Amino acid sequence: MSSSSVAPPGLPPSADLLLSMLNAADTALMALDAAGRIILFNHAAEKLLAYRADELCGQALPSMLLEPDLLEQECAQLAARLGRAVDAVEVFTAEVQPGRSLTREWPLRGKDGWLHTVNLSITAMPEPGAAGGCMVVMQDVTEFRRLQQLMTRQHALFANGPMVAFACHAQQPRVVVEVSPNVASILGYFPEDILLEPDWWLQHLHPDELAGLADGDWRLGQERGFSSRRYRFWHGAGHWCWLEEQVQQVTGDVVQGYWMDVSNQVEGEDRLAKIATNIPGMIYQFWSNPRGRGRFSYVSDGVMTIFGVTPAQVKQDADLVWQRVFADDQQRVREESESALRYQLPWISEFRVLLPDGRLIWVEARATPELQDDQSVRWHGLISEITQRKRTEEALRESQERLDMAMRAANIGLWDWHVALGRLDFNQQLVNMVGYDYHELHDNPGQWQALVHPDDLATVRHNIRALLKREAGQYQIQYRLLRRNGEVLWILDKGQATEVDGNGNVCRIVGTVQDITTHKQAQKLLENSEAHFRMLFQNHGAVMILVDPASGVIVDANPSAERFYGYGRGELVGMPMSSINQMEEARIRGTMGVALQQAHNHFTFTHRLANGQLRTVDVHSSPVESGGRTLLFSIIHDITARRQAEEALATLQRQLLAIIENFHGAMLLEDQYGEVVLVNQQYCQLFLPGYTPEQLQHEGRAKVAAIAAQQFADPPRLLQRLEELQRSREVVLGEEWPLADGRMLERDHVPIFIEGRLRSVLWVYRDISSRKQQEESLRLLATTDALTGIANRRSFMEKLEEEFVRFQRFSNPVAVLMLDIDHFKQVNDSWGHAVGDRVLRDFAHICQQVVRKVDVLGRLGGEEFAVLLPGCGMAGALALAERLRQAVRAHRVALDAGQLQVRVSIGVSCFARDQQEASVALALADQALYEAKLAGRDQVRAFDGNGQRFTAD
Ligand SMILES: Nc1nc2c(ncn2[C@@H]2O[C@H](COP(=O)(O)OP(=O)(O)OP(=O)(O)O)[C@@H](O)[C@H]2O)c(=O)[nH]1
């Protein structure tokens, strides 16, 4: 049993077998129970309505398959008939008589959505147990009904027309199932004969057409979008006719269309086609209706070559032709055809057609419009290709234009003399050349002669006469014309006899005239310049020779060359260059080849003189035209001396560079404009680390100075000084400049004047740091006391002198102290000299701490010390002396064996106005010291500058 069949519950055991049989049946069946529910739905029914049995079994039939509107309507009608309310199921079952069938057509909606017209044959269930149920046999008549409707419509349409409507069964090819009655009058067959004979169509088709009309081609044709074809068919009247078959519709299994006997049309077209094939281009007949749409009723095969489409395609769609008209021309073509139509005139148009293969061709269309009664227009026309003609026209036009242009550009005049007619014609160029008005010349043929320069008239006449006598076919002469404004115009006139009459007389002469005035003038100038050149050549002080590069031989040489080389002109002319130039022969030739390529050449060679001397020469060589040959004109300068000097200079320069490079110190040379000319490595290392001497060359002074100044202890002061020096232009040597890193430099500024003009400035820097250190230590050695480190006697006395000078100028008070350690001898004696030295050092140290920074403490000798107090009067000096005395008293010299204490006696004095020498004050202080010693030591005593005792009170 099939899985899709459902056995209704309650059926007897034989039901399975029954169900299998029902499923096997071709007929669509379903069974309904008393309540109208589907209880059986066989395979054929499944196929018809696309539902599976298990989807429908148990469902009420109406709600699933019937259109609600229709059901409602049916219910209402039945209720009216029965006089009572009915339910939906009763629509099917109510009127079924037991044991009888009720047949009705119902539209049923399949699961696939299609509405099927189904013939329902409803039979009440024969079995007593199933009373109230029914069996429904379903037959799909959808296509049949549709076809019937269609045929009814078409029968009416085709009954009297020239077209026979037909329908065929698509699955059984060409089996005609319906045909309109007019087939009898049109094809000579009765519909009954056709419908009874399944092979009727195939039997009457021309045997040659069979191959072209394969089975199933209708459907194929429909898919491809064609609807029409022609074939030969046997007419009932006993002859072959041409049938045009139009397939209108292919639906499911049915094909519908119509036939038309087009034999007459085909014959006519055939005749026309035969004629058309002999006419180049395309012949056509075109109908356009008032709305502008149109179709080709005839078009010859030529449409293939003109528009690249087949006649069949064009007939199907006239627009195909229009689409091929080149877009730029479409507007014009449309306007021209509309204008032809408006005025009922022949339409003649030339336009371009773009063929499918991309070629653009020119065509000419000629057509005559015929206005019909119904306002439609019939055009008979011919379209032919004129591409070649167009090209020729175009080429002709272009070449004419080119010729005109060339004549205008070259300023070539034309004259044309019709001898027999006595007419002389000119072009505008010629008229412009002579400066006359066109008509002045044209209307007076004799005028031309008057224009020829009197000196040239005979030549002109002679040449014309030779042409007229046919002694010559053409002439070419140069002569002068007189322009209207009196100027002389040189022309090149080329005349030619172009026509000769039957008697052999020249009847037409044509000539071209070219203005060569400029050329003549240039020629004249050239002649003059040649003379000038010859003079120059002969008299010039420079050595000049002319060489023929072809032979490598000197063809001319001037007197300067004779003098330089030591040969006579006769010897030089004809001499090969290789006798002079020391290069190999092949290289000389190569160089000459190069020289010919450029207008100006410059070489340096070694030339040998007649006396055997070798000279270095600069050769300036240029190609010159002379007598149809290209010669090399060379001017030769002896640069031997210059070369030697240059070499000496270069050597000197190298030496200088070496010196500068090896110079112990930084060196910079700038030119008069402040640009760096030369700088050595040391300069870079010292001031511009990261730069090389080459990089600094041509740099400006300001930039270099700004960078270098950064290395100095006081850059602004340095820059200011540099400016001063530059302005002063003075030699300043040995100026000392400290660097930021503590080193000391010494600088020389040396402006260099040549012939009274500043040419360059030399800056030299030397590092004098170590020398300075040595000097400093020497200075210290000379001015300090070795034991105590304070100023020695010499240094103290110098300071004393300096202060005395200052005092004499400014009168600021200056005091002087003399100090002497008391009983120092005893220290030495008791403790030894080393302790004595120790005491002296301690003493100096204590004093140094008490006095001010500006005061000068000095050891004058032994245990004798002095202090110079600038800016300090007697009172201050006394106070300081007292502080010194007490500081010494308070001090204990620590010794291994204990402590040692010393005392000091101090004498004070000062500078006074009338003192003659600085030492006076010192002597007064010494005197005061002496008094302090006398007074018992450990005392301070003072004398003022005038030798008066002085006390603090
Ligand atoms: N240790 C040491 N002694 C020195 C130095 N120079 C001089 N003397 C000694 O200093 C002593 C100076 O002594 P005097 O000038 O006679 O007098 P005095 O002993 O200081 O007694 P007063 O009268 O108080 O000056 C001498 O014995 C010198 O030898 C020195 O550089 N070192």
Side-chain angles (χ1 to χ4, degrees):
M1 192 167 121
S2 162
S3 61
S4 60
S5 299
V6 173
L11 273 185
S14 62
D16 278 351
L17 182 65
L18 181 67
L19 200 60
S20 302
M21 286 164 62
L22 291 175
N23 270 334
D26 235 4
T27 316
L29 293 169
M30 71 176 162
L32 307 178
D33 68 7
R37 286 192 302 266
I38 298 171
I39 53 171
L40 184 139
F41 201 73
N42 78 344
H43 286 336
E46 285 180 333
K47 202 173 152 196
L48 175 66
L49 293 174
Y51 278 107
R52 288 199 320 275
D54 56 351
E55 289 176 308
L56 289 180
C57 283
Q59 305 283 337
L61 167 70
S63 59
M64 291 294 288
L65 303 172
L66 299 180
E67 294 295 284
D69 292 353
L70 184 67
L71 190 64
E72 201 176 303
Q73 198 181 325
E74 287 288 323
C75 280
Q77 283 175 5
L78 184 65
R81 253 198 329 275
L82 298 179
R84 63 174 174 86
V86 292
D87 63 11
V89 181
E90 281 185 283
V91 170
F92 286 93
T93 56
E95 290 178 300
V96 179
Q97 300 295 320
R100 296 193 58 179
S101 291
L102 176 77
T103 304
R104 282 203 58 179
E105 260 182 36
W106 277 89
L108 297 185
R109 177 78 63 187
K111 192 185 178 186
D112 53 13
W114 289 108
L115 202 58
H116 300 266
T117 307
V118 184
N119 194 331
L120 299 182
S121 184
I122 308 166
T123 314
M125 289 284 195
E127 266 128 285
C134 63
M135 176 71 83
V136 184
V137 176
M138 298 179 285
Q139 195 186 355
D140 190 352
V141 292
T142 316
E143 265 323 294
F144 180 72
R145 288 294 171 225
R146 213 180 55 76
L147 190 62
Q148 261 190 336
Q149 281 174 12
L150 200 72
M151 289 307 290
T152 312
R153 277 203 302 274
Q154 287 188 348
H155 279 185
L157 192 69
F158 293 111
N160 303 308
M163 291 183 285
V164 178
F166 70 90
C168 284
H169 205 289
Q171 301 302 325
Q172 293 163 296
R174 299 294 177 177
V175 175
V176 179
V177 291
E178 284 284 341
V179 66
S180 59
N182 61 346
V183 70
S185 61
I186 289 171
L187 283 180
Y189 299 96
F190 290 108
E192 305 80 64
D193 300 340
I194 296 169
L195 297 176
L196 281 174
E197 178 52 72
D199 286 341
W200 172 82
W201 185 83
L202 277 174
Q203 278 172 7
H204 293 91
L205 186 69
H206 193 285
D208 293 353
E209 306 280 2
L210 256 177
L213 297 165
D215 289 350
D217 57 354
W218 278 323
R219 188 175 291 278
L220 212 62
Q222 189 78 352
E223 282 166 5
R224 285 178 184 167
F226 80 77
S227 59
S228 160
R229 84 189 70 201
R230 281 178 183 184
Y231 50 79
R232 276 164 292 171
F233 199 79
W234 187 251
H235 198 280
H239 60 264
W240 291 110
C241 67
W242 277 96
L243 273 195
E244 184 167 281
E245 183 182 274
Q246 296 260 354
V247 174
Q248 277 196 321
Q249 213 173 2
V250 178
T251 321
D253 292 341
V254 182
V255 177
Q256 294 153 50
Y258 63 81
W259 292 310
M260 191 159 71
D261 184 353
V262 291
S263 304
N264 288 342
Q265 196 182 334
V266 170
E267 274 168 31
E269 284 176 9
D270 204 35
R271 270 199 305 279
L272 204 58
K274 281 188 183 125
I275 299 165
T277 49
N278 294 316
I279 296 173
M282 147 195 172
I283 298 176
Y284 66 91
Q285 189 182 56
F286 182 79
W287 291 85
S288 61
N289 65 23
R291 289 192 305 279
R293 307 281 311 164
R295 64 181 177 83
F296 283 93
S297 51
Y298 172 75
V299 59
S300 71
D301 286 343
V303 73
M304 272 302 291
T305 46
I306 300 288
F307 289 103
V309 284
T310 64
Q313 287 172 316
V314 172
K315 281 190 184 174
Q316 199 77 33
D317 183 359
D319 262 359
L320 289 178
V321 163
W322 182 247
Q323 286 160 12
R324 294 254 156 254
V325 175
F326 190 56
D328 290 0
D329 298 346
Q330 283 188 357
Q331 173 74 14
R332 178 174 55 81
V333 172
R334 188 176 282 121
E335 284 168 8
E336 284 169 355
S337 68
E338 280 169 4
S339 152
L341 181 61
R342 195 174 311 125
Y343 302 110
Q344 286 295 296
L345 291 169
W347 168 56
I348 302 170
S349 228
E350 287 180 359
F351 55 90
R352 286 164 293 179
V353 172
L354 188 62
L355 291 176
D357 61 10
R359 279 184 304 131
L360 196 64
I361 60 165
W362 271 98
V363 300
E364 181 193 69
R366 289 169 177 274
T368 318
E370 287 172 12
L371 190 62
Q372 308 294 305
D373 293 341
D374 63 354
Q375 293 304 303
S376 64
V377 182
R378 187 169 69 168
W379 300 78
H380 296 278
L382 168 69
I383 300 180
S384 43
E385 187 181 344
I386 55 161
T387 312
Q388 196 52 47
R389 194 189 88 199
K390 274 279 174 188
R391 281 201 194 122
T392 313
E393 281 174 11
E394 183 77 358
L396 204 66
R397 194 174 54 75
E398 274 180 13
S399 84
Q400 185 62 42
E401 274 176 7
R402 268 202 299 274
L403 191 69
D404 284 354
M405 238 157 67
M407 286 207 166
R408 269 202 302 277
N411 202 20
I412 289 176
L414 270 181
W415 55 265
D416 188 354
W417 181 25
H418 292 262
V419 182
L421 302 172
R423 202 179 76 207
L424 189 58
D425 239 331
F426 326 90
N427 73 348
Q428 192 58 42
Q429 265 75 32
L430 186 51
V431 174
N432 293 347
M433 267 186 221
V434 290
Y436 280 88
D437 188 63
Y438 178 83
H439 289 289
E440 281 178 285
L441 291 177
H442 186 262
D443 303 343
N444 310 301
Q447 178 76 17
W448 186 255
Q449 259 191 31
L451 296 181
V452 179
H453 193 284
D455 294 352
D456 296 337
L457 200 54
T459 317
V460 176
R461 279 195 182 138
H462 169 78
N463 278 281
I464 298 271
R465 209 171 295 134
L467 281 191
L468 291 171
K469 285 185 179 170
R470 299 187 68 188
E471 290 166 0
Q474 56 189 39
Y475 68 77
Q476 180 171 328
I477 45 173
Q478 295 181 3
Y479 57 92
R480 285 158 291 179
L481 291 181
L482 298 170
R483 305 190 73 214
R484 182 178 211 157
N485 61 7
E487 280 174 9
V488 172
L489 180 76
W490 268 99
I491 58 159
L492 174 68
D493 185 1
K494 294 180 187 176
Q496 191 170 9
T498 54
E499 275 176 35
V500 179
D501 67 13
N503 302 322
N505 294 323
V506 172
C507 53
R508 192 172 175 193
I509 300 175
V510 175
T512 59
V513 170
Q514 205 177 342
D515 179 356
I516 55 164
T517 313
T518 327
H519 174 74
K520 278 278 174 190
Q521 284 165 350
Q523 211 173 4
K524 188 82 190 153
L525 273 174
L526 202 69
E527 282 163 12
N528 289 341
S529 74
E530 267 172 16
H532 284 144
F533 175 76
R534 176 51 53 190
M535 229 168 68
L536 199 76
F537 189 73
Q538 288 302 324
N539 300 316
H540 208 286
V543 177
M544 295 175 177
I545 55 170
L546 264 177
V547 179
D548 180 3
S551 59
V553 159
I554 298 175
V555 293
D556 204 352
N558 71 350
S560 296
E562 293 175 51
R563 281 193 293 278
F564 175 62
Y565 289 111
Y567 293 109
R569 185 166 182 275
E571 289 172 291
L572 278 174
V573 174
M575 181 182 281
M577 261 326 279
S578 54
S579 304
I580 288 176
N581 195 321
Q582 291 304 287
M583 283 198 309
E584 289 165 24
E585 172 94 39
R587 280 190 63 200
I588 296 175
R589 290 302 183 95
T591 313
M592 285 183 185
V594 171
L596 286 174
Q597 307 298 317
Q598 297 182 53
H600 303 287
N601 301 278
H602 174 231
F603 307 102
T604 302
F605 296 128
T606 307
H607 279 188
R608 205 161 67 92
L609 311 183
N611 61 13
Q613 239 186 50
L614 294 179
R615 308 296 290 178
T616 307
V617 291
D618 248 5
V619 178
H620 290 268
S621 200
S622 304
V624 290
E625 295 296 323
S626 173
R629 288 185 301 171
T630 305
L631 301 177
L632 280 176
F633 170 64
S634 299
I635 301 173
I636 294 139
H637 295 288
D638 182 1
I639 57 159
T640 315
R642 197 184 85 200
R643 262 297 153 92
Q644 284 164 353
E646 276 172 4
E647 272 164 26
L649 198 68
T651 312
L652 191 68
Q653 210 158 14
R654 279 195 298 276
Q655 286 167 347
L656 266 177
L657 275 175
I659 291 169
I660 286 171
E661 230 10 90
N662 296 307
F663 177 78
H664 179 68
M667 190 180 269
L668 181 141
L669 185 71
E670 61 185 40
D671 63 14
Q672 65 265 48
Y673 310 109
E675 199 171 273
V676 175
V677 177
L678 208 76
V679 62
N680 69 356
Q681 189 66 40
Q682 283 96 311
Y683 192 96
C684 293
Q685 279 167 1
L686 192 59
F687 300 120
L688 304 137
Y691 283 88
T692 63
E694 292 73 31
Q695 283 173 323
L696 290 174
Q697 276 208 353
H698 307 300
E699 279 294 351
R701 167 205 296 145
K703 181 182 170 183
V704 175
I707 303 173
Q710 303 310 313
Q711 306 294 329
F712 286 80
D714 189 350
R717 200 166 75 80
L718 175 95
L719 291 172
Q720 189 191 347
R721 179 62 181 149
L722 292 183
E723 273 178 34
E724 283 169 16
L725 287 174
Q726 277 148 18
R727 274 199 301 273
S728 77
R729 295 182 161 197
E730 279 170 11
V731 177
V732 178
L733 303 175
E735 219 175 61
E736 289 179 8
W737 285 89
L739 288 181
D741 64 5
R743 284 184 292 165
M744 179 63 83
L745 296 184
E746 184 181 65
R747 189 198 51 221
D748 297 340
H749 168 251
V750 187
I752 298 168
F753 290 86
I754 298 172
E755 292 168 359
R757 285 177 56 203
L758 178 76
R759 287 303 166 89
S760 47
V761 180
L762 179 70
W763 302 85
V764 180
Y765 289 85
R766 287 175 297 273
D767 186 346
I768 54 163
S769 308
S770 57
R771 194 185 85 199
K772 276 278 153 188
Q773 277 163 11
Q774 280 171 1
E775 277 179 14
E776 181 62 15
S777 44
L778 280 176
R779 192 185 62 76
L780 281 173
L781 265 179
T783 59
T784 47
D785 170 55
L787 179 69
T788 56
I790 61 174
N792 61 12
R793 183 182 182 87
R794 196 167 64 95
S795 169
F796 182 86
M797 293 310 287
E798 273 175 16
K799 294 275 164 53
L800 187 74
E801 289 294 339
E802 280 172 26
E803 281 307 320
F804 185 68
V805 171
R806 205 169 291 138
F807 168 78
Q808 285 181 320
R809 255 185 101 183
F810 304 108
S811 301
N812 279 342
V814 179
V816 183
L817 269 52
M818 283 290 290
L819 301 89
D820 190 292
I821 302 170
D822 296 337
H823 303 304
F824 184 66
K825 190 170 178 302
Q826 284 174 19
V827 176
N828 269 337
D829 293 347
S830 315
W831 300 88
H833 232 85
V835 172
D837 284 354
R838 168 87 184 278
V839 170
L840 287 175
R841 275 203 295 275
D842 272 21
F843 177 81
H845 182 69
I846 290 160
C847 291
Q848 194 77 66
Q849 281 183 327
V850 175
V851 300
R852 303 166 305 168
K853 267 218 171 67
V854 294
D855 302 336
V856 182
L857 173 68
R859 185 181 171 206
L860 301 184
E863 85 298 20
E864 206 176 61
F865 294 82
V867 182
L868 178 68
L869 302 167
C872 189
M874 283 302 287
L878 271 176
L880 181 82
E882 186 53 30
R883 280 205 302 282
L884 275 172
R885 187 186 69 80
Q886 285 178 11
V888 172
R889 255 181 93 95
H891 183 68
R892 300 289 182 273
V893 183
L895 302 173
D896 293 340
Q899 290 181 336
L900 180 65
Q901 206 179 1
V902 291
R903 307 267 191 279
V904 66
S905 297
I906 303 172
V908 179
S909 184
C910 65
F911 290 146
R913 276 260 141 238
D914 42 6
Q915 280 177 15
Q916 295 301 312
E917 288 174 20
S919 57
V920 173
L922 199 61
L924 282 170
D926 195 38
Q927 202 180 328
L929 170 64
Y930 178 70
E931 284 207 353
K933 289 273 182 188
L934 279 182
R937 299 182 172 80
D938 192 18
Q939 310 268 328
V940 176
R941 287 287 182 274
F943 284 110
D944 67 13
N946 302 316
Q948 299 297 314
R949 265 189 200 85
F950 186 88
T951 54
D953 308 327

